[in-house]
Amino acid sequence: DCDAPSPVYITYAFSPDGDGVYDEFQAFSPCSLVEPELRIYSRWGELLFASDEQRRTWDGYMNDGALQTGIYVYVFKYGVAQRDGRVENFLRSGDLLLVQ
């Protein structure tokens, strides 16, 4: 059932070490989301990553350089289409841990 609230799962810690286990931060859902927007910020508010695509993952890099181990902030906006044609919008935000 993909009516609101749609299940969205978020990885709260990840280590992009190439071992195939939690190598990317991601927000995902088994449902088709409407206009998903994922933003990652430093703790000082600098935008590090932005994606408006269905594939919403971040590899811990910015400008081809690996970021340091630390706490970062994510903001994930998305909509869920309802059976009656309406789109209900949601906002999830919080901290994530990047371990290099």
Side-chain angles (χ1 to χ4, degrees):
D1 182 8
C2 288
D3 281 336
S6 174
V8 171
Y9 305 98
I10 296 177
T11 306
Y12 294 104
F14 73 110
S15 60
D17 57 9
D19 68 356
V21 179
Y22 298 110
D23 285 332
E24 296 179 327
F25 171 80
Q26 55 185 313
F28 58 95
S29 174
C31 303
S32 179
L33 302 179
V34 178
E35 298 181 1
E37 297 178 14
L38 175 63
R39 305 288 183 262
I40 308 292
Y41 297 92
S42 71
R43 59 183 156 188
W44 299 280
E46 177 186 10
L47 179 64
L48 305 174
F49 174 81
S51 175
D52 296 336
E53 299 176 17
Q54 285 293 334
R55 186 171 189 276
R56 301 161 292 276
T57 63
W58 178 51
D59 62 3
Y61 283 73
M62 181 180 167
N63 299 328
D64 297 325
L67 294 174
Q68 296 179 344
T69 294
I71 302 292
Y72 296 86
V73 176
Y74 72 88
V75 176
F76 184 51
K77 298 178 188 177
Y78 63 96
V80 177
Q82 303 300 295
R83 290 188 177 124
D84 63 5
R86 294 178 305 111
V87 173
E88 191 165 348
N89 294 305
F90 295 89
L91 172 69
R92 303 255 318 254
S93 62
D95 298 335
L96 66 99
L97 174 61
L98 167 63
V99 179
Q100 288 289 7

